[in-house]
Amino acid sequence: MNTRVLGELEQQVMNIVWKLNGCSIKKVVIEIKRKKKIAYTTVATILQRLFYKELVNRKVTKQGYWYFPRISRESYIKNLATSFLRKMTYTFGDIAITSFAESLESLPKKKKRFLLELLRK
């Protein structure tokens, strides 16, 4: 799976699918409409894109498609972070690593300790 950064609306829809652990297009529309106006066809298109990007699976029901996560939120984030770090170090080499290390100083202490512990392992 080639993990790519999602657009703002794709990410919003994917977050709903993860939260509900499976849903219809209508359910996603209802969730999004709590905050803003959106067309049913727009959500249908976004879910179709997420299907082709292999982030969701779908099955046919009497009411239409039922979409459910193909990958967990945690796995997606790990894949995205790994892909990003590989691209950065491949493109910018030691400068990327140095910049990353320097940015650790701006993290809250608890997060910094957690990240440093992960790096030690």
Side-chain angles (χ1 to χ4, degrees), residues 38-92:
I38 192 162
Y40 180 93
T41 53
T42 301
V43 174
T45 300
I46 295 297
L47 283 164
Q48 184 173 347
R49 285 186 197 159
L50 293 171
F51 174 75
Y52 290 125
K53 290 180 179 184
E54 300 180 342
L55 291 171
V56 298
N57 275 331
R58 65 184 180 198
K59 65 180 177 181
V60 179
T61 67
K62 290 180 183 177
Q63 292 79 29
Y65 284 120
W66 185 262
Y67 290 89
F68 51 96
R70 184 172 180 171
I71 183 173
S72 71
R73 188 172 194 272
E74 292 75 18
S75 292
Y76 172 75
I77 292 167
K78 284 180 184 180
N79 291 343
L80 189 62
T82 300
S83 175
F84 174 76
L85 289 173
R86 280 191 187 131
K87 286 177 186 174
M88 289 298 289
T89 54
Y90 177 79
T91 304
F92 300 106

Side-chain angles (χ1 to χ4, degrees), residues 78 111-121:
K78 284 180 184 180
K111 292 192 184 275
K112 180 179 173 182
R113 274 183 289 200
F114 175 73
L115 186 56
L116 290 172
E117 184 60 33
L118 285 177
L119 290 171
R120 280 188 208 106
K121 292 178 182 178

